[in-house]
Amino acid sequence: MEIERKFLIKELPDLKLYPRKRIKQGYISTDPVIRIRQMNDTCCVCLKSQGHMIREEFELGITKEQCDALWNKVDNPPVEKIRYFIPLEGDLTAELDIYAGRLEGLLTVEVEFPSPMDASNFTPPDWFGADITHDNRYKNNYLSVYGMPS
Amino acid sequence: MEIERKFLIKELPDLKLYPRKRIKQGYISTDPVIRIRQMNDTCCVCLKSQGHMIREEFELGITKEQCDALWNKVDNPPVEKIRYFIPLEGDLTAELDIYAGRLEGLLTVEVEFPSPMDASNFTPPDWFGADITHDNRYKNNYLSVYGMPS
């Protein structure tokens, strides 16, 4: 089970302080979500149920060769982004995504929670912008098909 | 985690006694396994790691419409079979598959176990044939690509 909330960015923190990874992902299917992702040199395929804040999710590690072979099942261009991992209070981590390619200019941040109550009680830091947890247009499967939200 | 053993059939039991379901399944990918399955009127998509007796497996229920849409990602013809559910000693169930279509004539039986030790200690009933747990040719992803084992 994946419990998370997603926000836009009001003000970028100083990114030099935090670890980052390069992500390239594509969707074999967007409904249900069947996603392949390469994060630095690590690849996985992921199956997700529909939903906003709470979703079932299963991720399976695969080799680079398996991942490369699965790209021919992806119809839309890949979503590419740099993800920064920023520690927050309460042992939480903000995953800040800076998109590239045709999504350049888009910035979002996600936080994963141990329980729905933790998610509801979360007070976003000042640098977080609007809560887009329930806005389909910012889901990466929608972004891969429809591009930048207008 | 899925722990199971698979056998050929020496002698068919009296099938009139047992419940059965019609299964049609196809493979979006065979390595890793990304499988869609329709069992009677219930559909699911399933992600499995490689392996023989022990595999990671995650199954997500989907609608008939989602399932139908995913068939265009399947390259090979579907595997079709009737599955009979036959109770065995020790609260186990034999899942006996009678294949149809281009696999007509093939019969296999699978048993799922709560632990690797239960799997190792299992004594097959007299009507079970050769143990094909480790024989790739009888895996349904191989059957879907290569057809009947020669």
Side-chain angles (χ1 to χ4, degrees):
Chain A
M1 187 110 88
E2 182 189 46
I3 306 161
E4 60 185 20
R5 291 176 65 183
K6 192 172 193 171
F7 300 83
L8 294 176
I9 306 294
K10 201 190 297 172
E11 192 182 351
L12 270 184
D14 183 356
L15 296 178
K16 289 192 302 295
L17 302 170
Y18 306 111
R20 66 180 191 172
K21 291 187 172 173
R22 180 176 298 275
I23 292 177
K24 178 186 168 194
Q25 62 191 34
Y27 293 84
I28 294 173
S29 164
T30 56
D31 177 26
V33 168
I34 305 174
R35 184 190 72 197
I36 53 174
R37 171 185 277 181
Q38 183 171 357
M39 183 148 70
N40 285 356
D41 296 324
T42 306
C43 298
C44 64
V45 54
C46 177
L47 188 54
K48 291 189 194 205
S49 64
Q50 291 298 299
H52 295 286
M53 198 171 82
I54 302 177
R55 302 208 276 182
E56 279 191 276
E57 183 181 64
F58 176 71
E59 205 170 84
L60 181 70
I62 57 176
T63 66
K64 179 76 166 54
E65 290 68 31
Q66 289 176 314
C67 191
D68 288 345
L70 285 172
W71 275 104
N72 70 32
K73 298 279 182 173
V74 173
D75 298 324
N76 293 292
V79 171
E80 297 186 83
K81 56 192 181 183
I82 305 289
R83 172 165 288 183
Y84 289 84
F85 298 86
I86 302 172
L88 300 179
E89 279 179 34
D91 229 10
L92 299 170
T93 302
E95 297 181 345
L96 167 62
D97 288 334
I98 300 188
Y99 290 79
R102 67 176 182 143
L103 294 168
E104 194 173 329
L106 180 61
L107 309 172
T108 64
V109 61
E110 282 178 324
V111 183
E112 194 167 339
F113 301 94
S115 78
M117 186 174 289
D118 290 304
S120 299
N121 291 340
F122 176 65
T123 304
D126 287 342
W127 58 274
F128 280 35
D131 186 338
I132 51 170
T133 306
H134 298 272
D135 190 334
N136 271 334
R137 296 174 305 156
Y138 290 97
K139 292 202 187 312
N140 276 218
N141 53 347
Y142 278 67
L143 292 171
S144 81
V145 177
Y146 301 110
M148 186 77 92
S150 53
Chain B
M1 186 109 91
E2 182 190 48
I3 305 161
E4 61 185 20
R5 289 176 65 183
K6 192 172 193 171
F7 300 84
L8 295 176
I9 305 296
K10 200 190 296 173
E11 192 183 350
L12 269 183
D14 183 357
L15 296 177
K16 288 193 301 296
L17 302 170
Y18 306 111
R20 66 180 191 173
K21 291 187 174 175
R22 180 175 299 274
I23 292 176
K24 178 186 169 195
Q25 63 191 34
Y27 293 84
I28 294 173
S29 164
T30 57
D31 177 28
V33 167
I34 305 174
R35 184 190 72 197
I36 53 174
R37 172 185 274 181
Q38 183 171 356
M39 183 147 70
N40 285 355
D41 296 324
T42 305
C43 298
C44 64
V45 56
C46 178
L47 188 53
K48 291 190 196 204
S49 64
Q50 290 299 299
H52 295 286
M53 198 172 82
I54 302 177
R55 301 208 276 182
E56 279 192 276
E57 184 182 63
F58 176 71
E59 205 171 85
L60 182 70
I62 55 175
T63 65
K64 178 75 165 54
E65 291 67 31
Q66 289 175 314
C67 192
D68 289 345
L70 285 173
W71 275 104
N72 71 32
K73 298 279 182 175
V74 173
D75 297 324
N76 293 293
V79 171
E80 298 186 84
K81 55 193 181 182
I82 306 289
R83 171 165 289 183
Y84 289 84
F85 298 86
I86 303 172
L88 300 179
E89 278 179 36
D91 229 10
L92 298 171
T93 301
E95 297 182 345
L96 167 62
D97 288 333
I98 300 187
Y99 290 79
R102 67 175 182 143
L103 295 168
E104 194 172 328
L106 180 62
L107 308 171
T108 65
V109 61
E110 280 178 325
V111 183
E112 194 167 339
F113 300 94
S115 78
M117 186 175 288
D118 290 306
S120 299
N121 291 340
F122 176 64
T123 304
D126 288 342
W127 58 273
F128 279 36
D131 186 339
I132 51 170
T133 305
H134 298 272
D135 190 334
N136 271 335
R137 297 174 303 157
Y138 290 97
K139 291 203 188 313
N140 276 216
N141 52 346
Y142 279 68
L143 293 171
S144 81
V145 177
Y146 301 110
M148 186 76 92
S150 51

